[in-house]
Amino acid sequence: MDLEFGKTLDASKKGSWKTASLLAYQSLGVVYGDLSTSPLYVYKSTFAEDIQHSETNEEIYGVLSFVFWTLTLLPLFKYVFVVLRADDNGEGGTFALYSLICRHARVSLLPNRQVADEALSTYKLEHPPEKKSSSRVKMYLEKHKVLHTALLILVLLGTCMVIGDGVLTPAISVFSAVSGLELSMSKEHHQYAVIPITCFILVCLFALQHYGTHRVGFFFAPIVLTWLLCISALGLYNIIHWNPHVYQALSPYYMFKFLKKTRKGGWMSLGGILLCITGSEAMFADLGHFSYAAIQTAFTFLVYPALILAYMGQAAYLSQHHPTSYQISFYVSVPESVRWPVLVVAILASVVGSQAIISGTFSIINQSQSLGCFPRVKVIHTSDKIHGQIYIPEINWVLMILCIAVTIGFRDTKHMGNASGLAVMTVMLVTTCLTSLVIILCWNKPPLVALSFLLFFGSVELLYFSASLTKFTEGAWLPILLALFLMTIMFVWHYATIKKYEFDLHNKVSLEWLLALGPSLGIVRVPGIGLVFTDLTSGIPANFSRFVTNLPAFHRVLVFVCVKSVPVPYVPLAERYLVGRVGPAAHRSYRCIVRYGYRDVHQEVDSFESELIAKLADFIRYDWYRRQQTNPYTDDDASHSNESSSECRLAVIGTVAFSGTPGYEIEESVQPESVSGGFSTVESVTDVIEMEPVGAVQRRVRFAIDDDSESDTRTDMEVHLREELEDLLAAQEAGTAFILGHSHVRAKQGSSVLKRLAINFGYNFLRRNCRGPDVTLKVPPVSLLEVGMVYVV
């Protein structure tokens, strides 16, 4: 047995290494394209204006030293060894850090949170109990509400800069590669050829996006691999042929010597040097597409050495040649005999370089949308096998138009580089700040460790950031303008979403009102199932009371459905549905809370409807069985009248069906236990959730009634169970109606001018021009009932 176990273990290790190697190879085409093409424009941008390449070579050696240590400190030490470990169940990016912080401290501004969400297996708090110092920081953050808003604004700033980088990076990468034609064409012809060729390549790149990351990755990975081998070979050739002692310039001494000689010009030139780390954030943003091991392996053993050799090779060539600043470019260090093949590979690699940030932009917009911080857009999941690979058509075409506009508007590497550099450094600063909080709140390290991390890496990034700001009038204004525009959209959408939820919360009606509806009031129950969609996790929404007021009838089976996002990447199917009764069993009213993570695929409406009904049937069987176990001697439903006046229980209905030959069956596994436990929502409405802390033994109850049962002692409870299931089946056959609110939001009287502009014009414009909830849920028009609602916030 031991021998067999060892063989199995070895096989699994080989399989995991094989998978990691495959993902590392595929990550080259998606994650590292942008980072690997930076040698095309770093030296050209650095020597564009602020410093000159002199005979002493102090400038070129100083720039090489800066490039080496920047690549070593930020992408290698900060990202690969620290930030990538701050993943959210394997997912990365700004919002992953934010959701991680929100799970460990109550700083989230998201509505309809429940304590029950903390029982999710993916809502894990994986580190030891917090220390006193960490607890103090946590309490301070939780106490001051203004810090919650400041944290969200910081996250939105980082998100907007990633999107801005998604506009700038494709433009500068492709433009820099195509600019290599200047060595083979006259200046007049070159001027009119570069822009059209760049725009054509960008259109082709964005047209490929709908094939998905999986296919694009396999198609692009060989190109990046070829490019990395190409620049490594060129670097080695230039080092050996021109200056074998260039490695001495890696010493930090040359950085100080460079700054001492160039002074203000050298500091301003850092805006060009920082372009060597463009694309580093993609390692974290695209983490969900691959794995930590794959990204770490690819960068440490292939990408990093190749980039260092490339920059050393260019420096070695330039140390023996002293062209004017205009003539400094990547291609001057390429031997003329291989210049055309290198140009072709460079153009292809620059196209791939754009893929990294485009994929990251799709990911971060999807996360923003799931957490209520971005208008609803269409998200297409391009891979059934690999979780998290998506394509957003509207964002794709907007990015393409903006990229082409930037290319035509700027027309040179200098302005594009200044704009891209500011966006890159802003994202890195945001990531450093959020990771510092993760170190304290999630990893429970002493605040001194987090402060050291923040001061060390933050000071390096602030140095580059300050240099980028000096280029404001020379292109750096663009990412700031884009960020302000996007942040306005995101903050207005988030603010109005919160206000709408608060309005629903304050205007919900009581359960007694619902139970009082009946024939005496002229209300009739019609055949079928009515699915009333609401953001509330408790109470009766105002849109349903408005519906009944205008149309005095509702369905025989009524289900209040809340589709909510939880600050986790994904929710396991077995834990997705929380189901409970609304009122007594005879009323045939239920509540179903459907929980999705920010990376989850929302179901098609047909499968959602059938699965929801199946979960209701499972809940009905479970609930009657629970009653029988709790009070086996009383068959009358009136014995549970105390449950009729409130919403008593919500049960987690998993994937195990309540069916089988025996009357009931106990299953055990190493999962959360399904027993009663009291929890309260944020609104202090008591729900009872059928869960215990993670780590207990799960007990799922299967219960079925056999049609051919020969039992002579069928209880009244079994009869009630059968009647309820038959009513559900009959209602399903009669048809399902989807009842959704059609909202119009306006600011209340006395609101400030800014609020009226944001709500009355900004939010309503976005709402009218983005996808409605019925389109998002893909509700058939024939089954849709919309209830007009005016929200005064």
Side-chain angles (χ1 to χ4, degrees):
M1 287 297 291
D2 291 338
L3 184 62
E4 290 178 7
F5 178 76
K7 288 180 179 178
T8 306
L9 191 62
D10 287 342
S12 66
K13 282 184 178 178
K14 287 179 182 176
S16 64
W17 274 106
K18 185 178 178 182
T19 304
S21 301
L22 183 65
L23 286 173
Y25 169 74
Q26 191 181 348
S27 72
L28 292 176
V30 177
V31 178
Y32 294 112
D34 183 16
L35 192 59
S36 65
T37 53
S38 55
L40 287 170
Y41 46 80
V42 168
Y43 284 127
K44 186 175 180 66
S45 298
T46 304
F47 288 95
E49 187 178 277
D50 301 306
I51 56 174
Q52 301 296 323
H53 181 34
S54 66
E55 297 287 339
T56 62
N57 290 326
E58 289 180 350
E59 293 85 3
I60 191 64
Y61 289 159
V63 170
L64 173 61
S65 185
F66 263 106
V67 166
F68 172 76
W69 286 106
T70 304
L71 274 171
T72 303
L73 291 177
L74 296 182
L76 185 63
F77 287 174
K78 177 188 163 184
Y79 277 93
V80 171
F81 294 119
V82 181
V83 175
L84 287 181
R85 296 181 182 276
D87 66 291
D88 184 10
N89 290 282
E91 303 295 335
T94 311
F95 267 99
L97 289 172
Y98 180 61
S99 69
L100 204 58
I101 293 167
C102 290
R103 293 212 300 274
H104 288 78
R106 296 185 181 278
V107 294
S108 175
L109 296 177
L110 298 176
N112 63 27
R113 289 172 292 144
Q114 292 174 287
V115 179
D117 299 334
E118 298 177 13
L120 289 167
S121 59
T122 48
Y123 201 111
K124 57 184 180 181
L125 308 179
E126 59 278 275
H127 292 284
E130 59 190 28
K131 299 173 183 176
K132 286 185 179 179
S133 53
S134 301
S135 180
R136 282 194 221 102
V137 174
K138 179 181 174 181
M139 288 173 62
Y140 185 80
L141 279 173
E142 292 178 343
K143 182 180 178 182
H144 296 84
K145 299 294 182 184
V146 68
L147 294 178
H148 302 182
T149 306
L151 183 62
L152 180 65
I153 290 173
L154 183 69
V155 169
L156 294 184
L157 176 63
T159 302
C160 294
M161 283 298 182
V162 169
I163 299 170
D165 202 21
V167 172
L168 296 163
T169 295
I172 189 173
S173 297
V174 177
F175 185 86
S176 299
V178 176
S179 294
L181 293 171
E182 67 186 357
L183 299 180
S184 306
M185 300 173 65
S186 64
K187 188 175 181 180
E188 292 76 15
H189 289 95
H190 170 259
Q191 184 179 356
Y192 294 107
V194 171
I195 301 296
I197 293 172
T198 302
C199 292
F200 174 75
I201 291 172
L202 287 172
V203 170
C204 293
L205 168 67
F206 283 99
L208 281 174
Q209 294 302 313
H210 72 278
Y211 288 108
T213 307
H214 179 65
R215 296 183 181 90
V216 169
F218 267 109
F219 177 70
F220 282 168
I223 297 173
V224 176
L225 183 61
T226 304
W227 170 251
L228 288 171
L229 295 175
C230 177
I231 61 175
S232 301
L234 287 171
L236 279 172
Y237 168 80
N238 285 324
I239 292 169
I240 295 169
H241 190 263
W242 297 111
N243 188 353
H245 300 289
V246 74
Y247 68 88
Q248 295 175 357
L250 302 182
S251 168
Y253 166 74
Y254 285 89
M255 288 194 292
F256 297 109
K257 195 174 179 182
F258 167 77
L259 290 175
K260 185 178 179 181
K261 179 181 179 181
T262 56
R263 298 183 182 275
K264 184 180 178 182
W267 167 62
M268 294 177 69
S269 71
L270 295 179
I273 294 173
L274 69 85
L275 294 176
C276 70
I277 52 174
T278 55
S280 300
E281 184 66 26
M283 287 194 287
F284 190 44
D286 290 335
L287 183 60
H289 293 233
F290 303 101
S291 69
Y292 171 71
I295 290 178
Q296 184 185 46
T297 302
F299 182 80
T300 307
F301 297 107
L302 181 59
V303 178
Y304 177 74
L307 288 173
I308 298 301
L309 285 174
Y311 287 115
M312 288 177 66
Q314 287 186 67
Y317 176 87
L318 292 173
S319 67
Q320 302 301 318
H321 301 80
H322 299 84
T324 62
S325 296
Y326 176 76
Q327 293 173 323
I328 291 179
S329 73
F330 170 79
Y331 293 100
V332 297
S333 63
V334 178
E336 194 170 348
S337 57
V338 295
R339 191 167 288 163
W340 275 103
V342 170
L343 175 64
V344 172
V345 177
I347 292 173
L348 292 174
S350 67
V351 172
V352 180
S354 309
Q355 179 62 44
I357 195 63
I358 292 170
S359 300
T361 303
F362 289 160
S363 296
I364 206 160
I365 285 178
N366 184 44
Q367 293 173 26
S368 307
Q369 176 184 247
S370 298
L371 297 177
C373 295
F374 200 85
R376 289 179 292 266
V377 290
K378 184 179 183 180
V379 177
I380 299 171
H381 290 257
T382 56
S383 175
D384 296 329
K385 297 179 181 178
I386 302 177
H387 191 77
Q389 298 193 355
I390 60 172
Y391 165 66
I392 305 178
E394 294 99 324
I395 301 301
N396 185 61
W397 302 122
V398 169
L399 286 178
M400 184 192 77
I401 292 168
L402 290 175
C403 277
I404 292 172
V406 166
T407 304
I408 296 172
F410 281 156
R411 293 174 175 262
D412 64 41
T413 308
K414 176 183 141 184
H415 287 81
M416 292 182 194
N418 293 337
S420 181
L422 183 65
V424 168
M425 289 319 303
T426 306
V427 175
M428 287 195 167
L429 275 168
V430 170
T431 302
T432 300
C433 295
L434 294 177
T435 305
S436 301
L437 286 176
V438 168
I439 291 172
I440 298 174
L441 300 174
C442 308
W443 296 351
N444 294 316
K445 301 294 182 185
L448 188 61
V449 175
L451 187 63
S452 301
F453 175 85
L454 179 64
L455 290 177
F456 181 73
F457 290 109
S459 60
V460 174
E461 290 161 357
L462 275 174
L463 179 66
Y464 284 113
F465 182 75
S466 62
S468 296
L469 279 179
T470 62
K471 308 288 186 178
F472 181 82
T473 58
E474 300 174 19
W477 57 268
L478 181 60
I480 295 175
L481 184 65
L482 280 173
L484 285 175
F485 178 71
L486 288 168
M487 277 188 72
T488 303
I489 289 175
M490 295 172 79
F491 197 78
V492 164
W493 185 267
H494 182 75
Y495 176 79
T497 302
I498 296 292
K499 289 299 179 183
K500 278 180 63 181
Y501 176 75
E502 290 175 356
F503 181 90
D504 280 336
L505 192 62
H506 294 141
N507 290 275
K508 65 182 180 181
V509 294
S510 66
L511 182 62
E512 286 74 16
W513 174 86
L514 176 66
L515 299 178
L517 297 176
S520 60
L521 297 176
I523 306 293
V524 296
R525 302 288 291 267
V526 297
I529 299 176
L531 301 181
V532 182
F533 284 83
T534 174
D535 289 331
L536 298 177
T537 56
S538 62
I540 311 302
N543 64 348
F544 179 71
S545 65
R546 187 176 179 83
F547 171 76
V548 174
T549 303
N550 289 278
L551 183 66
F554 58 94
H555 297 81
R556 184 69 187 94
V557 174
L558 193 63
V559 187
F560 296 97
V561 181
C562 173
V563 179
K564 61 179 284 190
S565 289
V566 186
V568 294
Y570 54 89
V571 177
L573 286 173
E575 302 172 39
R576 177 158 294 163
Y577 289 84
L578 277 173
V579 187
R581 291 191 187 278
V582 178
H587 199 268
R588 303 294 191 258
S589 297
Y590 310 91
R591 182 176 305 283
C592 181
I593 299 172
V594 188
R595 302 177 292 184
Y596 287 101
Y598 56 76
R599 290 274 195 176
D600 273 326
V601 185
H602 284 240
Q603 290 170 285
E604 297 287 337
V605 70
D606 292 334
S607 62
F608 172 75
E609 180 186 341
S610 57
E611 187 168 347
L612 178 62
I613 293 168
K615 299 301 180 188
L616 282 176
D618 285 347
F619 168 76
I620 291 167
R621 294 187 184 100
Y622 166 75
D623 188 57
W624 282 104
Y625 175 75
R626 177 185 57 79
R627 295 183 180 204
Q628 189 179 40
Q629 294 297 103
T630 306
N631 199 355
Y633 301 107
T634 306
D635 296 330
D636 187 13
D637 187 43
S639 65
H640 301 281
S641 60
N642 63 319
E643 295 183 5
S644 66
S645 61
S646 62
E647 300 175 52
C648 295
R649 293 185 180 274
L650 289 174
V652 177
I653 302 298
T655 55
V656 179
F658 287 82
S659 60
T661 307
Y664 66 89
E665 177 182 341
I666 302 292
E667 292 191 351
E668 296 191 4
S669 62
V670 285
Q671 294 291 334
E673 184 172 347
S674 295
V675 295
S676 299
F679 292 98
S680 60
T681 63
V682 209
E683 300 83 41
S684 301
V685 179
T686 302
D687 293 334
V688 179
I689 310 302
E690 302 287 328
M691 298 195 73
E692 264 194 0
V694 177
V697 177
Q698 181 180 21
R699 298 177 183 272
R700 284 202 181 101
V701 182
R702 291 183 179 178
F703 180 79
I705 298 175
D706 188 357
D707 289 335
D708 302 323
S709 174
E710 298 178 358
S711 172
D712 297 327
T713 58
R714 178 172 294 177
T715 64
D716 288 344
M717 194 169 286
E718 290 174 330
V719 173
H720 289 315
L721 168 59
R722 177 176 294 281
E723 287 176 354
E724 191 168 0
L725 289 174
E726 287 174 350
D727 285 349
L728 181 63
L729 179 62
Q732 183 183 11
E733 291 174 351
T736 303
F738 295 79
I739 303 170
L740 280 77
H742 185 81
S743 60
H744 176 77
V745 186
R746 71 166 185 259
K748 58 187 175 185
Q749 288 185 345
S751 299
S752 65
V753 176
L754 190 62
K755 182 178 179 179
R756 289 204 300 272
L757 283 173
I759 298 295
N760 297 349
F761 297 99
Y763 177 77
N764 284 314
F765 175 80
L766 292 172
R767 182 188 55 79
R768 286 192 299 269
N769 290 280
C770 73
R771 292 176 176 267
D774 55 321
V775 178
T776 305
L777 293 166
K778 297 182 180 176
V779 177
V782 70
S783 303
L784 177 64
L785 286 171
E786 287 191 298
V787 183
M789 283 289 294
V790 177
Y791 290 83
V792 182
V793 298

